[in-house]
Amino acid sequence: MQFGIFSVGDVTMDPTTGVTPSEHERIKAMVTIALKAEEVGLDVFATGEHHNPPFVPSSPTTMLGYIAARTERLILSTATTLITTNDPVKIAEDYAMLQHLADGRVDLMMGRGNTGPVYPWFGQDIRQGIPLAIENYALLHELWRKDVVDWEGRFRTPLQGFTSTPRPLDGVPPFVWHGSIRSPEIAEQAAYYGDGFFANHIFWPTYHFQRLISLYRERFAHYGHGTPEQAHVGLGGQVFVRKNSQDAVNEFRPYFDNAPVYGHGPSLEDFTEQTPLTVGSPQQVIDRTLTFREHFGDYQRQLFLLDHAGLPLKTVLEQLDHLGEIVPVLRKEFGDRRADGVADAPTHESLVAAAREKVGA
């Protein structure tokens, strides 16, 4: 099982000091956070993709390429790669290049994003969001697996005899997760290709994501990729940790109350009760996270959101220190409880081995 963090890259005022970081400071902070994630023993760092204020990560491959040069083990991923408004040809080339630079330590999460105005900025219609996601990924999937591609669809100019370069490292494309908050069509898409399905699992109640993940597992088996238990499931989550649970609540409350996404809405207590947000001691985070297995079955990837809502870099790095102590316990507990026949988390090495085994068969 893989544990890591994801960042949405928001530039938000710290409500306790009134200080707002500059874009430069926020970008540099994200790099520092990624390096710290490797230092404390996490497996994955993922960045979002946004093209509007108050967010800064408009070019994930640029950031991840820079981080790749400064890390050795960390898997570099995205919390969203906008499959709807990016050209699939450019995605194929950019992430294959990153895959080579990072020696295979790359995967990515396809998503439609949550900012409607992005569509017309890139010449697309938000009303075509699902069809765009389906068609564009179909092309991307083909570009990575065929040396020469002929293509014609609804949303881009045709391709004739086109070869995407560079070709994927070792002939194996980066592993793809399809991320969703609410769309069964995306769960179906992930199942059809035998890819991973990542449930955001942040703002909505557990039962909502249980339905999406159950659908994905059932359809994964339907398409002949294995048993439902062998499907690749990832989950998001949010934590704020202090040694003493009341200290965590007191410190995090002003950030929660003023957060752009959920501030001025339900109380912190109501939100932590109804969603996976956990604010408390390390043991509370461990206990709450272990319940995810009860809700969704054994799964392969757990990512936490730590750096948001104006939290200063110093605090985020302290949170990573806590996570560095929590994750070994979670690894052991999840490992001890894991059922037989569950798929391992995908890596470049495991995908290469599977491809060679398939050729040998």
Side-chain angles (χ1 to χ4, degrees):
M1 188 167 171
Q2 296 168 345
F3 293 89
I5 57 173
F6 71 99
S7 175
V8 296
D10 60 312
V11 179
T12 303
M13 182 186 72
D14 183 334
T16 68
T17 65
V19 173
T20 302
S22 67
E23 289 182 324
H24 177 77
E25 289 170 333
R26 189 67 175 95
I27 290 167
K28 288 290 192 176
M30 289 176 68
V31 173
T32 300
I33 289 163
L35 301 183
K36 181 72 170 182
E38 178 165 276
E39 177 188 319
V40 301
L42 301 186
D43 303 303
V44 183
F45 172 80
T47 174
E49 178 186 347
H50 298 276
H51 298 275
N52 58 291
F55 304 101
V56 294
S58 59
S59 181
T61 52
T62 304
M63 174 171 284
L64 295 178
Y66 182 77
I67 294 169
R70 301 186 61 186
T71 54
E72 297 179 357
R73 186 185 55 80
L74 198 64
I75 295 173
L76 308 169
S77 189
T78 56
T80 303
T81 295
L82 297 175
I83 189 62
T84 47
T85 50
N86 281 313
D87 183 356
V89 172
K90 197 69 170 72
I91 293 177
E93 295 182 338
D94 284 353
Y95 284 91
M97 176 67 78
L98 176 62
Q99 188 192 34
H100 281 272
L101 291 172
D103 296 321
R105 295 184 288 123
V106 172
D107 57 36
L108 63 164
M109 188 191 307
M110 299 297 169
R112 290 179 291 139
N114 58 7
T115 308
V118 171
Y119 282 81
W121 295 343
F122 289 86
Q124 301 295 350
D125 183 345
I126 192 173
R127 293 170 295 183
Q128 299 298 323
I130 292 290
L132 275 164
I134 293 170
E135 181 177 299
N136 282 354
Y137 184 65
L139 174 54
L140 175 61
H141 190 271
E142 192 167 322
L143 287 167
W144 273 339
R145 288 164 176 81
K146 291 184 179 179
D147 288 339
V148 181
V149 171
D150 295 311
W151 173 268
E152 186 170 352
R154 291 174 56 194
F155 299 111
R156 76 171 324 278
T157 54
L159 297 172
Q160 294 182 342
F162 179 77
T163 299
S164 172
T165 60
R167 304 304 299 146
L169 178 64
D170 299 320
V172 175
F175 187 79
V176 169
W177 302 85
H178 298 260
S180 179
I181 295 176
R182 60 185 179 275
S183 304
E185 295 92 339
I186 302 305
E188 175 77 16
Q189 182 183 41
Y192 176 79
Y193 288 102
D195 294 337
F197 180 68
F198 191 93
N200 175 277
H201 196 215
I202 288 182
F203 301 121
W204 291 42
T206 295
Y207 65 81
H208 169 77
F209 292 107
Q210 284 178 310
R211 290 199 296 260
L212 284 176
I213 290 173
S214 294
L215 171 64
Y216 161 67
R217 289 188 185 277
E218 292 168 8
R219 300 300 287 172
F220 180 93
H222 168 80
Y223 287 116
H225 299 300
T227 66
E229 294 73 26
Q230 291 172 321
H232 292 99
V233 172
L235 295 177
Q238 288 177 282
V239 296
F240 188 86
V241 195
R242 289 301 185 201
K243 293 295 184 183
N244 180 283
S245 60
Q246 194 56 51
D247 289 341
V249 171
N250 292 340
E251 184 175 348
F252 187 66
R253 188 181 299 279
Y255 295 96
F256 176 89
D257 288 346
N258 294 280
V261 175
Y262 43 55
H264 313 288
S267 69
L268 175 59
E269 286 73 16
D270 287 343
F271 202 84
T272 53
E273 179 181 350
Q274 296 170 17
T275 78
L277 172 64
T278 306
V279 180
S281 68
Q283 190 60 51
Q284 286 175 305
V285 171
I286 291 167
D287 293 342
R288 185 75 178 280
T289 304
L290 288 173
T291 66
F292 298 170
R293 179 183 179 274
E294 300 170 12
H295 300 148
F296 305 107
D298 289 301
Y299 60 108
Q300 284 71 31
R301 176 173 286 187
Q302 175 67 57
L303 300 183
F304 296 103
L305 177 62
L306 299 180
D307 67 322
H308 62 120
L311 287 165
L313 177 60
K314 177 179 180 293
T315 300
V316 175
L317 297 180
E318 291 168 351
Q319 292 299 298
L320 279 164
D321 283 328
H322 286 302
L323 212 54
E325 299 172 356
I326 289 168
V327 162
V329 179
L330 289 174
R331 286 191 203 282
K332 182 180 186 305
E333 292 293 334
F334 275 113
D336 290 345
R337 303 176 192 200
R338 185 179 181 187
D340 293 336
V342 174
D344 290 333
T347 64
H348 181 70
E349 291 74 19
S350 69
L351 296 174
V352 169
R356 289 174 178 168
E357 182 179 341
K358 186 176 181 179
V359 170

